[in-house]
Amino acid sequence: GDLQLKLSRETGDVWRYETRPQPSLLARMVVSAQSVERGTFRLAAAGVQPLDYSLDDGTAQRGGDEASFEYDRAAGRVRGFARGEALDLELVPGLQDPLSIRAAILHDLLRGRELGTYPMIDGRQVRNYVYRRVGTETLKTAVGSVETVVYTSAREGADARAKTWKYWYAPSLGWLPVRIHQIDKGQP
């Protein structure tokens, strides 16, 4: 299947990021075509500052992968719910969510910063994700051959069979990812 990504400016320095799956027939067994993930973030001098996040897994079942939370910078907390339970976490410096981390990565790449470790809300916990540059590769795409810089990301301290991601970022296209692979339990 495919994943539709939409980034739109709300006002000034505030942006909304939204994803909607377009699962293939087989993928519909695990992903609802009604699923929608949304997040709002601010572009600040210090980087990407998430404001809110929500995930509706598209099922009538409550408590699955659904989540909704807001960042309260004045109180230094992130509050809402995730996986059917209340969420109340400390707002650590640089904290991202599953959508804002994508914008934070692009923000850093566009500023010539090498990627490193990013704290992210993962379920109901804050976990660190490590991004490592693993090389370069030329990819054939619908718009022709594109030079890319390849990164992997995984949860800090995870073993070799844990879920990892591999990204091919294209500097000539504003560092947009032109290919993304998820590897789970050693299987792409």
Side-chain angles (χ1 to χ4, degrees):
D2 293 314
L3 185 63
Q4 179 186 21
L5 309 171
K6 181 180 179 184
L7 179 64
S8 56
R9 179 175 273 166
E10 293 287 299
T11 58
D13 60 355
V14 176
W15 294 79
R16 176 167 295 279
Y17 202 169
E18 181 176 293
T19 67
R20 291 180 182 268
Q22 298 170 341
S24 63
L25 184 59
L26 185 59
R28 288 182 188 184
M29 293 170 43
V30 292
V31 176
S32 169
Q34 305 306 310
S35 176
V36 63
E37 187 176 28
R38 292 185 180 103
T40 308
F41 63 89
R42 173 177 291 115
L43 283 178
V48 171
Q49 294 180 336
L51 303 172
D52 60 58
Y53 171 85
S54 67
L55 170 64
D56 179 344
D57 66 8
T59 67
Q61 178 182 345
R62 184 86 171 137
D65 287 334
E66 292 188 347
S68 179
F69 46 83
E70 292 186 6
Y71 295 78
D72 182 345
R73 296 198 184 286
R77 308 297 297 174
V78 180
R79 294 188 178 104
F81 74 88
R83 296 186 176 158
E85 295 184 34
L87 176 80
D88 186 357
L89 299 169
E90 180 183 354
L91 182 56
V92 299
L95 183 62
Q96 302 297 326
D97 57 53
L99 285 180
S100 68
I101 196 166
R102 296 174 188 173
I105 296 298
L106 290 177
H107 182 269
D108 286 351
L109 288 169
L110 285 166
R111 276 149 187 76
R113 297 179 187 147
E114 190 60 37
L115 304 184
T117 302
Y118 296 79
M120 184 182 83
I121 298 173
D122 184 359
R124 297 183 55 251
Q125 301 176 44
V126 174
R127 296 188 175 157
N128 289 322
Y129 281 81
V130 180
Y131 284 74
R132 289 185 174 89
R133 184 179 177 149
V134 296
T136 60
E137 190 174 335
T138 302
L139 295 182
K140 292 184 181 185
T141 71
V143 296
S145 291
V146 178
E147 297 295 323
T148 66
V149 178
V150 185
Y151 281 87
T152 59
S153 77
R155 186 172 35 89
E156 187 174 64
D159 66 24
R161 295 193 43 82
K163 187 183 295 185
T164 61
W165 295 84
K166 190 171 184 180
Y167 301 89
W168 288 259
Y169 292 103
S172 66
L173 300 175
W175 289 96
L176 289 174
V178 293
R179 180 181 291 167
I180 302 172
H181 280 176
Q182 178 183 336
I183 302 162
D184 198 5
K185 296 179 182 147
Q187 303 295 317

